[in-house]
Amino acid sequence: MSNSASSSTTFGCSSSTNNITELKQSVVKNFFIDVQARKPNSWYGKCSICSQGVADTYGTTSNFVRHMKTKHESEYEEWLAKKNINLDTKQRNIDDMIKQKTNKYSSINPRQVKLTESIIKDLIIECGVPLSLVEQNGFKNFMEIVDPMYSLLSRRQITRDKLPKLHDRMIMKLKALCNNAEYVSVTLDVWTDRRLRSYIGITLPTFVGDDLKSHLLSFAPLKGHHTADVLLAEFEKVINYYHIEKKLVRLITDNASNN
Ligand SMILES: [Zn+2]
């Protein structure tokens, strides 16, 4: 592998196929228990997350992989991302070989994944840059200079795929946080933007050690008049959604007249 640049294309292809087969086999090892061979010519395992049984032709993994992709997508992707980092060096060598053909990273290449993540988390979410950024020529040129092998994701990929996944993951973390808390207090605010559209925001302040952190549980547009009834309905929806109705010890609101 060390003299990869001079390796033949055939060698590059076969080792990449082996990697993928290994990866699929390890899905079974990692997520399924009581794995056993069954007659005739099949194997069976129990999902360690939901206990559902999955069977497939012996040595074949497509049913196992499909189960993970459809039933436990976030666990599967998290595991895959970690796996990619472990395969980093191997992957780079393979990428070097593929590079001679396409000049671009594969979609699961760690560098490709990291840059995409950073554009979404740091630029779009943290800096609040509009999504149209990824369609602008200036940014395309900039990324070409940052890393010519990186393929810029489309705006559609961000809205249809990346943001919903990030959102789901965030909700899961918030639910876990609420689940583990003994008592919670929440803050309820009403915002009005420059076009006089109103939003209700419910935040959850937490202490982790001495660090005060504020988590946004819900941010929703308010339709109609924001009377106490409308606010209460939204508030109860959120409280029930996170199952914190019995843990709530304090509710803080601003001093608007409609509280
Ligand atoms: Zn399962």
Side-chain angles (χ1 to χ4, degrees), residues 47 50 67 72:
C47 172
C50 72
H67 178 86
H72 316 292

Side-chain angles (χ1 to χ4, degrees), residues 47 49-52 67-68 71-72:
C47 172
I49 301 172
C50 72
S51 296
Q52 192 184 314
H67 178 86
M68 290 311 298
K71 300 279 169 72
H72 316 292

